[in-house]
PDB file of all heavy atoms in Angstrom:
ATOM      1  N   THR A   2       0.484   2.228  -0.797  1.00  0.00           N
ATOM      2  CA  THR A   2       1.286   3.431  -0.778  1.00  0.00           C
ATOM      3  C   THR A   2       0.798   4.400   0.260  1.00  0.00           C
ATOM      4  O   THR A   2      -0.424   4.537   0.649  1.00  0.00           O
ATOM      5  CB  THR A   2       1.250   4.152  -2.075  1.00  0.00           C
ATOM      6  OG1 THR A   2      -0.015   4.466  -2.473  1.00  0.00           O
ATOM      7  CG2 THR A   2       1.907   3.382  -3.227  1.00  0.00           C
ATOM      8  N   LYS A  22     -10.386  22.086  10.511  1.00  0.00           N
ATOM      9  CA  LYS A  22     -10.421  23.469  10.307  1.00  0.00           C
ATOM     10  C   LYS A  22      -9.063  23.924   9.674  1.00  0.00           C
ATOM     11  O   LYS A  22      -8.203  23.608  10.379  1.00  0.00           O
ATOM     12  CB  LYS A  22     -10.732  24.128  11.655  1.00  0.00           C
ATOM     13  CG  LYS A  22     -10.642  25.563  11.696  1.00  0.00           C
ATOM     14  CD  LYS A  22     -11.050  26.119  13.142  1.00  0.00           C
ATOM     15  CE  LYS A  22     -10.435  27.428  13.573  1.00  0.00           C
ATOM     16  NZ  LYS A  22     -10.742  27.588  14.973  1.00  0.00           N
ATOM     17  N   SER A 133       4.012  31.068   8.303  1.00  0.00           N
ATOM     18  CA  SER A 133       5.437  31.002   8.590  1.00  0.00           C
ATOM     19  C   SER A 133       5.690  29.837   9.511  1.00  0.00           C
ATOM     20  O   SER A 133       7.005  29.572   9.746  1.00  0.00           O
ATOM     21  CB  SER A 133       6.034  32.337   9.159  1.00  0.00           C
ATOM     22  OG  SER A 133       5.398  32.570  10.298  1.00  0.00           O
TER      23      SER A 133
END
Side-chain angles (χ1 to χ4, degrees):
T2 57
K22 170 173 155 189
S133 60

